[in-house]
Amino acid sequence: MPGSTPLFSPAQTLAPQGAAAMPRRLRRGYWGLVGLTLVFAAWLAWINWQRQDDTLRSTLRVETAFLADATSAYLDRYESVMSALGNDLLTRPELLAAPDQLQPLLQRYRALLGPDQALSINLSMADGQMFATTLPGQRRLPNFRNMPDIWPGIEQAGRAGGLEVGKAVYGPMLHRWVIPLRLIVKNAAGQPQLLIAVPVELNDFLERWRRSVAAAEYAMPGMSIALMRADGYLLARWPAPKTDDLPRFYSAKRQGELARAARHAPDGATSGVFSGRVDSDDIPRLGAWVRLPHYDVLVNMTVPRALIWRDFWRAYWPALTILALWLAVLTLAYRLVRKQAERDSAQLRDRSEIMYRLANQDSLTGLLNRRGMGEYLQRAHDRARDHGIGYALVLFDLDHFKLINDGFGHAAGDAVLQQVAHLLQTRVRKEDQVARWGGEEFLVLLPDSSLQTAHATAEKLRELISHTRMSVGGAELRLTASFGVSAWEPGGPLASAELLGQCDSALYNAKAGGRNRVKQFEGKSAQDYLQGFTLKRAIEDDRIRVAYQPLVSLADGQIMGFEALARLVAENGEVIAAGQFIDVANRLRLEHRIDSRVSKQVMARCSQRIKQTGTPMKYMINCSADFLSRPEDVQQLLDRAQHFCSTCAVDMTGKAKPMVIEITERQLIGDAEAVRQLVQPLIDFGFQLAVDDFGSGYSSYLYVLKLPVSYLKIEADLVREAAHSARAQAMVRSINSMAHELGILTIAEGIEDEATAEVMRRIGVDWGQGYYWGRPEIEA
């Protein structure tokens, strides 16, 4: 509503919780599926990684074992040939005395080894002095004891007892890098006799070695192979080490991962795997090694660890692609469903807002209606009570609004209401709430306000309305309004419904005082107010019921009709007579609401009884001056009468209707002519009039003279007094005689025994009413 900030959002009360929960459930479901997909992808990746790691390790083990077998066969061949040469030399000692004659024998054995592999065969004594070689042109042979790079290996060969694979050295006679293979030849006593040394060219050894694993090289790019002594010295590596200082490289013990794996291998272990950086190229590698214990060397094969990533992605990318497509489809579906859910939620919110407006806003003016204002009023009351602050209400009614509807039509009246609503929306504070409370009634809620603030606000609105020209049916008119204000003070005991009752009473006083003025609630006792609140709640809960008391012909005792008397049914089921609440209803201006509910029930009963019996009976309805002075209530009564008469089984066209409007003389306000104008539409339709309590001390013969009265009810106290007082009988006789001369039927009220009934019968009173024939009863 423009210019208004609600105390609470309509969406908080009307927006369906499922509409807000749907996107949350959808979002949770989506991220749940994404999470499961990622967990599955991680699990699948881990499985694939383990598989590739295991596969690569197994392949390395197999290839390394194959390379170890080839190396072992290679060394076995050399050892067997060199052993055979040693045996020949031991069996032919004369050759040792004539080194020149050894050349044919040595050349023949070198041919057995292969001249391309065995660069030479060298023979030396146990003290290190070389005495024979297959190398040509060697006149002066060296003593190996003087060569620190070679002599320790020769000494180790003496202790080995078999073929010893020496450290890679740069051969002093061959001038190239070689791997020396040495074998000590011992005599029958086990004493070293001589040393056979065969240098194998390092590059040729590596090339032949590499060819044995050529297939593995193709499958595992970046592969390297190495031969290392058990003491940590590297004998050979392919590819060649990336260094220009080969003497330093081959003469130092290795400290890389292969050497550590071999040193820390369990006792008796002949193979193993390792992972880490190696000395040769200092990159992370995965490798396998096999020990040849007979020769005290390790055969090793490694591949870069990055190869696992290559194999992993080769095996994993199809599944990864499928998972990525699944996530893409899932995301696309989620977005489509989310957009549709958002559209549905928006439509649901729109429908909820429309339903809220239909239920809580007035369709004509766009203001809150009674239901909508009721929610804000209760919330404001609770807030004020909890925080100890006051709030105020302003209730106003447009004066003589019926003249606009009757003179210019209801469309013009609607236009005026819309203009007034616009004025209110532009003049109240942002936190105030405005509602169309009734036909031409408006209610303004002023949070955090006192009675003085409400009075000042009402006065400003009154002046605004009275000085604003309203466009009505092509003409411009000035309207006025009557205002009633009330306020809830901090700590006050009043409920919001009681505060509304105060406003309503103050508004009535403003209209009764001449209209176009502001009145505040005053002059009612707490007990009045408590009873008024109970009465108003009973009216709103439809707990006003009708009790019927028979009207009996005194001549023959026949029931001629019934008087309808209001009863209040309390929440505990107790039935309360009108005498206990009608005065409070009168002071709080609630009589018209009681009369409206009573008349509706009576007409429904009258119509039903006619349908059942076919005989109309009179029904007298008490109508207060408060009811008759409200044109809208009189019109509503007439509309209901027309409806019920149209459904009756008996044609009532042109006849006096069974309904009798009973007015209490002391409640009539103004001159008789004014009263006649109020009830004339009912009389024209066929309603009849009855004056109640005639002779009670407030009688006005002028009313009887000028109003078309059909029934005159003699006051009960006067009737009971006439049972034993001649003076009272004279008064009753006078009233009865006057009424008959005017064609008015008389009814004696308050007859409780046969003696009183007999007196009234002798006087000539037509009907009687009282406990003698029955108490008022509510029909089940």
Side-chain angles (χ1 to χ4, degrees):
M1 185 173 63
S4 176
T5 300
L7 295 173
F8 62 99
S9 171
Q12 294 175 344
T13 56
L14 286 180
Q17 295 298 321
M22 176 62 181
R24 288 197 298 269
R25 290 197 298 266
L26 187 63
R27 185 167 56 252
R28 290 173 182 171
Y30 167 72
W31 286 112
L33 287 175
V34 170
L36 288 175
T37 302
L38 294 178
V39 169
F40 176 74
W43 175 80
L44 191 62
W46 183 80
I47 290 296
N48 275 278
W49 178 268
Q50 293 297 320
R51 181 180 299 151
Q52 298 306 321
D53 186 71
D54 292 344
T55 299
L56 188 58
R57 288 173 183 266
S58 298
T59 302
L60 284 173
R61 285 179 179 274
V62 171
E63 294 295 337
T64 304
F66 176 77
L67 186 62
D69 290 342
T71 303
S72 181
Y74 183 87
L75 295 177
D76 288 346
R77 179 168 170 271
Y78 270 82
E79 184 178 20
S80 63
V81 172
M82 293 170 68
S83 296
L85 175 60
N87 290 331
D88 279 353
L89 293 174
L90 289 177
T91 56
R92 299 171 64 185
E94 66 276 7
L95 295 177
L96 298 177
D100 293 339
Q101 299 179 12
L102 288 175
Q103 286 297 323
L105 179 65
L106 296 179
Q107 292 295 344
R108 187 168 62 253
Y109 275 97
R110 181 170 177 254
L112 291 175
L113 293 174
D116 295 335
Q117 298 180 35
L119 297 178
S120 67
I121 296 179
N122 302 319
L123 299 179
S124 62
M125 301 304 293
D127 59 1
Q129 178 62 51
M130 181 185 298
F131 64 90
T133 181
T134 58
L135 291 175
Q138 297 293 329
R139 296 173 179 262
R140 185 176 179 178
L141 299 178
N143 189 328
F144 290 127
R145 185 181 291 273
N146 299 325
M147 298 180 181
D149 293 338
I150 298 177
W151 179 247
I154 294 175
E155 288 182 325
Q156 184 175 357
R159 294 190 297 270
L163 183 68
E164 190 264 342
V165 182
K167 293 190 297 183
V169 296
Y170 190 78
M173 295 183 296
L174 297 173
H175 304 291
R176 66 186 69 183
W177 284 95
V178 297
I179 299 175
L181 301 179
R182 305 183 183 100
L183 181 67
I184 292 293
V185 180
K186 297 180 180 180
N187 57 24
Q191 297 296 322
Q193 289 292 106
L194 55 91
L195 172 70
I196 301 174
V198 178
V200 178
E201 186 177 13
L202 179 61
N203 291 335
D204 181 70
F205 173 78
L206 289 174
E207 182 61 26
R208 293 176 182 274
W209 209 23
R210 184 188 66 81
R211 284 200 299 267
S212 66
V213 290
E217 179 188 2
Y218 175 78
M220 296 183 293
M223 178 192 73
S224 71
I225 53 180
L227 184 66
M228 188 176 71
R229 287 162 49 103
D231 56 7
Y233 289 99
L234 192 65
L235 299 175
R237 184 183 188 276
W238 182 88
K242 297 178 181 179
T243 178
D244 295 331
D245 191 4
L246 290 178
R248 182 181 180 89
F249 180 81
Y250 285 118
S251 63
K253 289 185 178 182
R254 299 295 92 201
Q255 302 298 324
E257 194 62 35
L258 172 61
R260 285 193 291 271
R263 285 198 303 269
H264 296 96
D267 294 340
T270 59
S271 65
V273 294
F274 66 93
S275 177
R277 296 179 183 273
V278 297
D279 292 345
S280 303
D281 51 17
D282 198 34
I283 63 173
R285 285 182 172 271
L286 181 66
W289 56 271
V290 174
R291 187 191 306 273
L292 303 180
H294 181 68
Y295 302 107
D296 208 17
V297 295
L298 283 82
V299 179
N300 160 248
M301 178 180 290
T302 66
V303 293
R305 283 194 62 84
L307 197 62
I308 302 179
W309 284 103
R310 184 204 67 173
D311 295 341
F312 168 76
W313 286 115
R314 282 181 178 179
Y316 188 58
W317 77 263
L320 185 62
T321 302
I322 294 174
L323 290 174
L325 290 175
W326 157 248
L327 285 177
V329 172
L330 180 64
T331 301
L332 178 62
Y334 164 69
R335 290 183 176 180
L336 292 176
V337 174
R338 185 185 66 183
K339 288 182 178 179
Q340 183 62 42
E342 289 174 351
R343 285 194 293 267
D344 293 343
S345 180
Q347 292 176 358
L348 193 57
R349 284 195 302 270
D350 292 342
R351 287 196 296 269
S352 297
E353 291 176 1
I354 292 173
M355 291 174 61
Y356 178 83
R357 287 195 295 269
L358 291 176
N360 296 276
Q361 290 186 347
D362 179 59
S363 60
L364 176 64
T365 63
L367 302 176
L368 293 170
N369 58 18
R370 290 180 72 98
R371 183 182 184 279
M373 177 59 91
E375 294 182 4
Y376 284 101
L377 181 57
Q378 187 60 47
R379 189 62 65 94
H381 184 80
D382 294 342
R383 178 171 172 266
R385 182 187 58 203
D386 295 341
H387 295 85
I389 55 178
Y391 70 95
L393 298 177
V394 175
L395 180 67
F396 72 91
D397 183 278
L398 298 179
D399 297 330
H400 305 296
F401 185 75
K402 188 175 186 298
L403 297 176
I404 297 176
N405 279 333
D406 293 344
F408 297 93
H410 288 282
D414 291 345
V416 169
L417 294 176
Q418 290 172 339
Q419 294 175 63
V420 172
H422 178 71
L423 284 176
L424 293 174
Q425 289 175 317
T426 56
R427 291 298 189 273
V428 298
R429 301 176 304 176
K430 184 169 63 174
E431 64 269 20
D432 297 337
Q433 301 298 327
V434 184
R436 183 184 177 194
W437 198 243
E440 64 273 11
E441 279 187 339
F442 296 87
L443 179 65
V444 182
L445 168 62
L446 305 173
D448 302 336
S449 299
S450 63
L451 187 61
Q452 291 76 16
T453 304
H455 198 283
T457 300
E459 192 62 42
K460 290 179 182 179
L461 292 176
R462 185 194 66 78
E463 292 181 2
L464 176 66
I465 293 173
S466 64
H467 290 87
T468 300
R469 294 181 180 274
M470 301 289 178
S471 180
V472 180
E476 290 188 348
L477 299 178
R478 289 183 184 274
L479 298 179
T480 61
S482 300
F483 289 77
V485 298
S486 62
W488 188 88
E489 300 296 337
L494 299 180
S496 58
E498 295 176 283
L499 208 61
L500 282 170
Q502 287 187 350
C503 265
D504 193 52
S505 178
L507 172 59
Y508 184 85
N509 290 335
K511 296 180 78 68
R515 294 184 171 84
N516 192 26
R517 62 194 61 209
V518 177
K519 289 288 186 179
Q520 63 190 44
F521 178 78
E522 56 188 16
K524 303 300 185 294
S525 67
Q527 183 63 28
D528 284 349
Y529 211 59
L530 180 59
Q531 292 179 355
F533 174 70
T534 302
L535 176 59
K536 193 165 187 178
R537 189 161 60 184
I539 294 172
E540 292 172 351
D541 294 345
D542 198 24
R543 287 188 280 109
I544 299 298
R545 294 289 183 268
V546 179
Y548 297 95
Q549 188 173 34
L551 302 171
V552 180
S553 172
L554 293 174
D556 55 15
Q558 295 294 318
I559 295 178
M560 307 305 295
F562 298 90
E563 180 177 4
L565 301 170
R567 295 290 185 266
L568 186 152
V569 180
E571 292 181 349
N572 61 3
E574 179 186 359
V575 178
I576 302 173
Q580 299 182 40
F581 61 81
I582 201 64
D583 287 342
V584 174
N586 175 260
R587 287 194 294 272
L588 297 180
R589 310 307 182 215
L590 296 175
E591 287 180 298
H592 68 285
R593 299 180 65 180
I594 297 174
D595 294 345
S596 177
R597 281 158 176 75
V598 169
S599 62
K600 181 179 179 181
Q601 295 179 48
V602 171
M603 284 188 285
R605 183 181 189 273
C606 176
S607 176
Q608 183 180 9
R609 190 177 184 91
I610 292 175
K611 290 179 182 179
Q612 293 174 351
T613 64
T615 303
M617 298 190 74
K618 295 298 181 180
Y619 287 90
M620 292 190 174
I621 306 173
N622 289 280
C623 288
S624 63
D626 183 29
F627 179 85
L628 295 176
S629 64
R630 296 175 182 263
E632 66 276 9
D633 288 340
V634 174
Q635 183 61 45
Q636 186 181 54
L637 175 61
L638 182 59
D639 293 341
R640 286 174 178 169
Q642 290 173 337
H643 168 71
F644 282 112
C645 285
S646 66
T647 62
C648 285
V650 177
D651 184 9
M652 301 296 295
T653 305
K655 299 179 182 179
K657 304 302 186 290
M659 308 304 298
V660 179
I661 299 299
E662 186 175 328
I663 54 178
T664 301
E665 177 196 14
R666 62 173 175 266
Q667 287 188 343
L668 296 178
I669 300 175
D671 58 35
E673 189 59 36
V675 176
R676 183 185 183 96
Q677 290 179 2
L678 291 175
V679 299
Q680 191 62 49
L682 299 175
I683 295 172
D684 292 342
F685 180 69
F687 276 63
Q688 294 177 301
L689 288 182
V691 176
D692 194 14
D693 292 338
F694 194 86
S696 60
Y698 298 86
S699 303
S700 173
Y701 287 90
L702 187 59
Y703 280 127
V704 178
L705 176 63
K706 291 198 173 185
L707 292 178
V709 177
S710 299
Y711 301 89
L712 194 150
K713 301 184 71 174
I714 304 171
E715 203 268 335
D717 289 340
L718 181 59
V719 170
R720 283 192 290 269
E721 186 70 20
H724 52 78
S725 171
R727 291 172 63 88
Q729 290 178 17
M731 292 177 66
V732 172
R733 189 177 293 109
S734 175
I735 293 172
N736 185 70
S737 176
M738 176 202 65
H740 284 174
E741 287 183 13
L742 295 176
I744 299 174
L745 189 144
T746 56
I747 303 172
E749 295 184 296
I751 298 176
E752 298 181 357
D753 51 37
E754 175 60 30
T756 306
E758 181 59 29
V759 170
M760 294 298 111
R761 189 180 298 114
R762 288 199 307 267
I763 292 174
V765 176
D766 298 301
W767 295 354
Q769 178 183 352
Y771 290 169
Y772 178 64
W773 293 283
R775 292 178 178 270
E777 293 183 358
I778 299 176
E779 286 192 347

